[in-house]
Amino acid sequence: MDVLCISILLGIVFLLQSILGFLQIRNFVKTFRNMSRNGKILIGKNPKKFRAGTLILLNIDRDANIKDAKIMKGVTIFARFKEFKVLNGKSLPLLASDYNQLQKYDSLTRECILNAYRNYINYKTGKLSRSDLDTSTNFLSLPVFDLWKNELISKFNAIKRRRQI
């Protein structure tokens, strides 16, 4: 009976997480499409599993000047994109190379700006790698699945031992 309740609860939690994750992805797609109408978009990412992850979208012109910037920062699936107007009008290469300017932002944002700049350089030099383009996540590699798997294995082993007695 306990295994059935735990399995149902895990199923409900997984379904809820999937729905909320879908809503977050839909927010990304909507924001990306709206920004792409105004030109090229650079994506700077700093994914974390247990700390706040950060994603930045930079709308740039031909000279790599930032026309519009949006940032998503958070630990949970409730994070949404917000305006990041302090970057508007700045030159991405100058910003990325100016230590004093970068120090005005927190470390997660700095890493995103530098990642976006690296992607820009790789795009301009024709050296984009697979990792620059791959934004997929293997959900089965998340730690919560290992926890659930270990719990289920221990429950089944306990049931097996009871049947042997």
Side-chain angles (χ1 to χ4, degrees), residues 66-85:
I66 301 169
K67 296 190 297 186
D68 189 19
K70 296 193 189 296
I71 189 166
M72 181 193 309
K73 192 185 295 189
V75 178
T76 68
I77 48 184
F78 296 110
R80 298 286 180 258
F81 278 101
K82 296 177 180 137
E83 293 287 331
F84 199 50
K85 294 184 181 203

Side-chain angles (χ1 to χ4, degrees), residues 17 24 48-54 72-80 108:
Q17 180 182 8
Q24 187 177 40
K48 301 289 183 191
K49 289 193 182 200
F50 296 109
R51 287 182 38 214
T54 309
M72 181 193 309
K73 192 185 295 189
V75 178
T76 68
I77 48 184
F78 296 110
R80 298 286 180 258
L108 295 173

